[in-house]
Amino acid sequence: MSTNAERLHSGTRTLSTRLVMAGAFVGALGILTLSMVFSWPVASGKQSPADVAAENLAAAFEAPAGSCLNWRPDGSDMKTVGCDQPHLFEVSGDVDIAAEYPESAPSPTNEAWREIAKQKCTTGAATYLGGKLDPYGKYSVGALKPSDEQWRDGDRKLRCGLQRAVPSGNTLVATTGSAKNQDQSDIYDPGTCLALVNKNVGDPVGCEAEHAYEITGVVDLAQIFKDSVPEEAQQQAAMLEQCTKLTNEYSGGLDLQSKGLSLTWDTRKAESWDAGSHRAVCKVGAPLSDNSGLAPINGSVKDAGKSSAPSSGSSAPTPSSTGGG
């Protein structure tokens, strides 16, 4: 069998949030063809770099459920790694579509492949997670599909798995630890800033760049609500209390309102809670006065409150003057 393989992912998700325009997950369903670029030396001297990489890729494509895969940003050097190491894909199982696509059938279009992955892999991925796949969580269902050459050779196997993507869906985020053991809450660590795209939330960026939100804290709601799924109003009250405290500590006591900034947070839907997703983020943004979205922010709020009467060159964050409409 040829050792080329291609990756696709499927899914559209939204996040429950207190503020309008707070970061819908838009699954840009892209195909990544492995470029098979090999440029590292081989210690044994008996195999070429291309041979070693091809063997790694073949082993990765045949990896059983529970295996974790990683590859370079350009798509090359796909290989199996321990799930305790950073990885981009966790195999949940495989499906064979030979019954629907016999030997004479042409390879499906990209759009058709995405629908196949959605139909064939979602149920298996949920089963792999013990029936608990958070529809609003950080994991989406993906698949490794046969390359055109493999398809011509009769390969009809689809390798299903779990992955995490940035909000745009254009890039995968490495995770550590098996998805089976993870809180699936779609959160980022404090200090993460999220880009502003058309008054809405984009991918992580440096906080020195214009951004929509800065994450200032993470709250484990399961530590507050231990017995049952909390109502929305209960979550709002708990997040208000916790986020006010965490953001004050994070920012060094910055008066957000004086900078045109607002504190907001996420909450968790019942479906997420039942899947074991109990954590939610606190974040600082600048909602536009007409409620049409968010204004761009320049600079981080971290420790900004420790400087008194900041000058125009200070790092204290403010909404950009170009973001008011």
Side-chain angles (χ1 to χ4, degrees), residues 88-196:
L88 297 173
F89 192 87
E90 182 169 348
V91 181
S92 59
D94 62 74
V95 293
D96 194 311
I97 60 172
E100 296 97 326
Y101 294 89
E103 184 176 349
S104 60
S107 179
T109 64
N110 287 346
E111 206 54 50
W113 268 122
R114 293 164 191 153
E115 188 60 30
I116 291 169
K118 179 181 178 181
Q119 293 179 356
K120 299 292 186 179
C121 292
T122 302
T123 300
T127 300
Y128 175 78
L129 293 174
K132 296 182 177 181
L133 176 59
D134 183 353
Y136 305 100
K138 67 181 179 180
Y139 291 112
S140 58
V141 177
L144 298 174
K145 75 178 185 66
S147 66
D148 289 341
E149 181 180 353
Q150 289 173 317
W151 184 270
R152 289 192 296 270
D153 290 341
D155 192 333
R156 298 294 187 269
K157 184 168 64 177
L158 198 65
R159 182 68 65 181
C160 303
L162 295 157
Q163 58 199 14
R164 184 183 188 186
V166 295
S168 69
N170 294 328
T171 306
L172 293 184
V173 178
T175 60
T176 303
S178 172
K180 286 185 173 182
N181 305 316
Q182 298 286 321
D183 182 311
Q184 297 178 39
S185 304
D186 194 8
I187 63 171
Y188 290 97
D189 293 334
T192 303
C193 287
L194 300 172
L196 183 73

Side-chain angles (χ1 to χ4, degrees), residues 263-287:
L263 174 62
T264 185
W265 48 80
D266 290 343
T267 58
R268 290 288 161 252
K269 292 181 179 292
E271 301 97 314
S272 297
W273 193 272
D274 291 340
S277 298
H278 301 147
R279 294 187 295 165
V281 296
C282 313
K283 52 197 178 183
V284 169

